[in-house]
Amino acid sequence: MEDTLDALRSLMASHSPKLDALVVPSEDYHQSEYVSARDKRRQFVSGFTGSAGLALITMKEALLWTDGRYFLQAAKELSDKWKLMRIGEDPAVDVWMADNLPKEAAIGVDPWCVSVDTAQRWERAFAKKRQKLVETIKDLVDEVWKNRPPLEINPVIIHPLEFAGCSVMDKLNDLREKLIQEKARGIIITALDEVAWLYNIRGSDISYCPVVNAFAIVTSNSAFFYVDRRKVSSEINSYMEENGIEVREYAAVSSDVTLLASNKLNGTHVELKNDMEINPSEIEITRNGAEETKENTFDLIWADPGSCCYALYSKLDTDKVLLQPSPLALAKAIKNPVELEGLKNAHIRDGAAVVQYLVWLDNQMQEIYGASGYFLEGLGANKKKHSKSKICWLSLSVLLVVAQNALNIFTMTGAYMFLIPILVWFFAMNYDRESRKLTEVTASDKLESFRASKENFRGLSFPTISSVGPNAAIIHYSPHAETCAEFDPDKIYLFDSGAQYVDGTTDITRTVHFGKPSEHEKASYTAVLKGHIDLGNARFPNGTNGQALDILARVPLWKDGLDYRHGTGHGIGSYLNVHEGPHMISFRPQARNVPLQASMTVTDEPGYYEDGNFGIRLENVLIIKKADTKFNFGDKGYLSFEHITWAPYQRKLIDLSLLTSEEIDWLNSYHLKCRDILAPFLTESEKAWLNKATEPVSV
């Protein structure tokens, strides 16, 4: 069978024009972070399964770029045909292409899978050697992907107003006001979570993300929804019609963008709010002393350069495009009161599930492995594991002796039935040992079952990161049943997990040890905890961005010469994507783009990772709120954070001598809140465990 790289190179050679290189991004037609199985083209060609990365194939080389979260994982998953390029350490992909590909080289890419921003950045880099970006008519990866997963037809569902908190008509009216402010007559909406949020719909087209594969176009008096019609029930059709939205086939977005560009896109007219009624041909305005009609000035088409694909952008008149971040990204990020209340409630139920999991895990580790457990640091770990192993070997030895004697009896008497009870006994012993083995996958499955028992549960919000020992150093580790690790009471266990509830999305990380942690592990955990506390306790003026705050979580680690390669915080959706922008807390330059604002959500998740040894991360979801400060310098107004995640931090991993009195006070206060908030959702034995886990501490 022909190698995938060879097959692609053959298509590159026969392409018109001939391609010197082919770019295979991770993204789909909507520039999504997480994509459906049939859109995992970069994973198919490279074998790398992480969510972020870009593959570049030349006639002689195959390279993969990814960020610090995936360095270890990519190094393990890539074959020797691939070269790993570490973002932030190796040259960026556009720089590498410009420097290493020949003059006038043709670099191919599927224009549906690359954003306007990215394509334009590459074209600027290519200019010095007159290299050119070539939009392939077909995706070449699809041409060689013979067993590509089929298209799934999953129904569109309505997200009820009781959870959305704002009607579709109100959202459309707000959006149209933004169009007027920017003198735009229409906007192309490509990000899946923005389409879902705007129209108050949800779906299941992408695992863990309750979105629908769809586009939207909104003009001053029309709205369109581009989706595979097989996903649309009569109820959804009526719902869309009631909200003035016209349903069209998914593929029609291409031709409709062309019509939009020429001002010929017609749809069902909807009534606007009184204060929005405009007639561009009648209203006159004055600019620079000259009279112009509003019809001439309202001629821009709004497209988000970060999420709009190059294929759609290419159909527009570049002189009449407003390339600017989508107004929906910020509107979605600033949660309304209903969404905030839903998120708080979802995190309470989720916290109860996490505590139930910790109680169960503590019992299992003691019972199966003889671990000292969540609270104690005693020796003797692995006692039961070792004794079971001895029993198994003993039973095998006994079986061999008995079998030899039985064989002699069999030859004389033909007594077949003599062996049956012995074989049953042996295999029962062996099965008991295997069935009681605790692995990263069996544990994460149990955690999911606790969540699934909670009200409004709809699934996980991302694949659970359940990682023992060295696997915890792989920042976005994903365990598989065939290869995952067994639990070990002498090693750290990190679990990063979350769920989708109809009233909110959750994301939490805790790191625990069921044996005796080393002093280095304690010091590292404590440094991460200090950064976690210090960021969560920050107060800052309005206008502050996430890059300015990122340092707060790192300083305790920096004092010991430690750090981590990922950002510190991301927004989180309201029954939407677990990673949500446009804001973030990170060292990356894009964290400067959007200031943090009241009613946004953001995670607080510093970490530390030692390759081949262990990993530590602690994560809570925070809500940004107005701060009550003694003064108000510059009349700016100040902001602070409110924790909405509830689960204990493990006492025996904390070196209390390294905490300040303020940090100890915060820890005790947080733990008491955990008790009070989670108690109604726990059994008496679970409450007793939580009470012990949250006992006040002091130096």
Side-chain angles (χ1 to χ4, degrees), residues 7 17 34 86 96 98 123 188 224 255 279 298 348 350 367 372 375 397 401 406 470 535 542 596 598:
Y34 297 106
R86 294 170 172 82
W96 191 95
E123 288 178 327
I188 304 167
F224 303 89
S255 57
N279 187 339
F298 278 62
I348 291 171
D350 200 67
E367 185 178 338
S372 53
F375 301 106
S397 301
V401 172
L535 175 59
N542 274 303
L596 301 177

Side-chain angles (χ1 to χ4, degrees), residues 620-664:
N620 281 4
V621 174
L622 316 175
I623 289 174
I624 303 171
K625 63 178 185 177
K626 291 182 180 179
D628 182 18
T629 56
K630 184 176 180 180
F631 302 104
N632 184 19
F633 181 80
D635 259 353
K636 290 182 176 181
Y638 282 70
L639 301 171
S640 62
F641 295 116
E642 174 188 352
H643 287 257
I644 62 171
T645 299
W646 306 108
Y649 305 96
Q650 192 176 25
R651 164 64 184 85
K652 77 176 182 182
L653 271 172
I654 303 172
D655 184 344
L656 292 173
S657 68
L658 299 176
L659 296 184
T660 65
S661 58
E662 291 82 4
E663 289 165 345
I664 290 176

Side-chain angles (χ1 to χ4, degrees), residues 32-92:
S32 307
E33 177 186 12
Y34 297 106
V35 300
S36 66
R38 66 182 278 103
D39 288 323
K40 294 182 178 180
R41 298 177 178 89
R42 187 264 303 145
Q43 177 176 322
F44 167 72
V45 300
S46 69
F48 169 59
T49 61
S51 65
L54 178 144
L56 178 69
I57 300 163
T58 71
M59 286 301 177
K60 294 183 178 180
E61 293 184 272
L63 306 96
L64 181 124
W65 277 260
T66 191
D67 62 56
R69 296 171 298 170
Y70 295 109
F71 289 171
L72 285 178
Q73 181 178 337
K76 288 185 176 183
E77 293 181 343
L78 293 175
S79 74
D80 56 8
K81 294 180 180 180
W82 288 84
K83 180 180 180 181
L84 173 60
M85 304 295 285
R86 294 170 172 82
I87 294 175
E89 298 179 10
D90 295 315

